[in-house]
Amino acid sequence: MSSWKQREQYLVQVAQRCLQGHKTFDLCRSHLVNASQISKGTIYNHFTTEADLILAVSCCEYEYWLGLAKQDLKEHQEPLTCFLYHHCNRLYYTLSEKRFVVDRVMPNQDLLNQGNELLRLRFETLYEEYVSLNKRMILDIGEVAGFDRAELVMNYLRGAMINSDDADKHFGDVQLYYQFSYALSQLMGHSDRRIPTKQAFAAWLSAKHREKHQVTIINSAA
């Protein structure tokens, strides 16, 4: 590795691979030694506590979702469609790549208190940016009086990601995304609005599968 930052990014990527399909964050810093072929001392210099490793992985995940959200905002002009497809994208990538669901462990104030200040600040900044972005999208869809819709939706999303992973839902199930989107529209108080049809989700899934296949081919060639 040519720099401290590049080495840390590599270690986080190794940690993410080690966590694929796991339902708990059962990865320790010492586990990265064989997986990364980097010395224990170097790894412990990057992550001085086990909490630091969790925070670093969590930061990487939220950076990924933020990038995906910004991409979805460019692709979909209609606010409700954009919001639904963004979270369907998030669900698709979580299930298809067997990503560890960071909602299982974060946000967690005890872990934040145990982590170093830079990682703690980085996570808090990324988390707040992602939550704020979602709140703005919900407001753009249309404010509905009576409840804190953003809080309801964010709590539902956290539970849905964990429950879908627990149940080993299949990423290619059209009904999964349709029901997920229906529940989100209800929680936001927009039951009168049209959500993408099952046919639309089927076409979207086909495009996702083609994209995933192309990426696999490119990675294999590299």
Side-chain angles (χ1 to χ4, degrees):
M1 294 294 123
S2 59
S3 73
W4 178 273
K5 185 176 181 181
Q6 287 176 320
R7 188 186 297 112
E8 184 168 300
Q9 288 174 338
Y10 170 69
L11 287 170
V12 169
Q13 289 169 0
V14 171
Q16 288 175 310
R17 288 198 297 271
C18 290
L19 286 165
Q20 283 180 324
H22 289 220
K23 309 301 184 186
T24 58
F25 200 108
D26 51 6
L27 182 71
C28 298
R29 292 171 296 167
S30 59
H31 296 156
L32 293 179
V33 177
N34 288 334
S36 68
Q37 296 300 298
I38 292 177
S39 71
K40 186 175 181 179
T42 299
I43 292 170
Y44 279 48
N45 280 336
H46 278 276
F47 311 115
T48 55
T49 65
E50 300 297 344
D52 285 345
L53 177 59
I54 297 174
L55 290 179
V57 170
S58 299
C59 285
C60 187
E61 286 294 299
Y62 274 98
E63 285 172 345
Y64 184 79
W65 303 133
L66 274 166
L68 185 63
K70 290 170 183 177
Q71 179 181 317
D72 289 329
L73 283 166
K74 292 179 181 178
E75 186 174 341
H76 303 286
Q77 301 303 312
E78 202 280 313
L80 178 60
T81 301
C82 179
F83 187 80
L84 295 178
Y85 273 120
H86 168 61
H87 287 289
C88 284
N89 266 325
R90 187 180 171 195
L91 185 59
Y92 176 87
Y93 287 121
T94 296
L95 296 176
S96 66
E97 297 175 5
K98 298 186 181 297
R99 300 177 78 96
F100 177 75
V101 181
V102 296
D103 305 79
R104 294 179 182 277
V105 292
M106 296 299 291
N108 181 308
Q109 194 57 54
D110 287 340
L111 282 173
L112 285 168
N113 291 340
Q114 293 169 36
N116 74 53
E117 186 176 355
L118 287 177
L119 275 171
R120 182 170 67 248
L121 180 60
R122 183 176 159 207
F123 175 80
E124 289 173 341
T125 300
L126 288 166
Y127 180 74
E128 181 56 37
E129 184 179 352
Y130 188 65
V131 170
S132 296
L133 187 149
N134 275 274
K135 287 181 177 179
R136 289 198 302 273
M137 285 198 284
I138 291 171
L139 283 175
D140 287 343
I141 294 168
E143 194 168 5
V144 177
F147 299 98
D148 184 339
R149 299 290 173 176
E151 183 178 359
L152 283 173
V153 170
M154 296 308 289
N155 286 337
Y156 170 75
L157 285 168
R158 183 174 187 271
M161 292 296 169
I162 294 172
N163 292 337
S164 296
D165 185 50
D166 279 343
D168 292 320
K169 296 288 187 181
H170 193 273
F171 62 89
D173 183 3
V174 171
Q175 186 69 14
L176 171 67
Y177 302 102
Y178 183 75
Q179 290 180 338
F180 180 59
S181 297
Y182 176 80
L184 283 172
S185 67
Q186 295 289 316
L187 283 173
M188 287 186 286
H190 294 294
S191 57
D192 57 325
R193 303 273 292 275
R194 292 184 64 182
I195 65 172
T197 63
K198 290 181 183 179
Q199 290 77 11
F201 277 121
W204 170 77
L205 271 176
S206 294
K208 301 302 289 183
H209 295 337
R210 287 195 300 272
E211 174 190 300
K212 194 173 183 65
H213 181 64
Q214 289 170 351
V215 170
T216 300
I217 293 174
I218 291 170
N219 289 340
S220 298

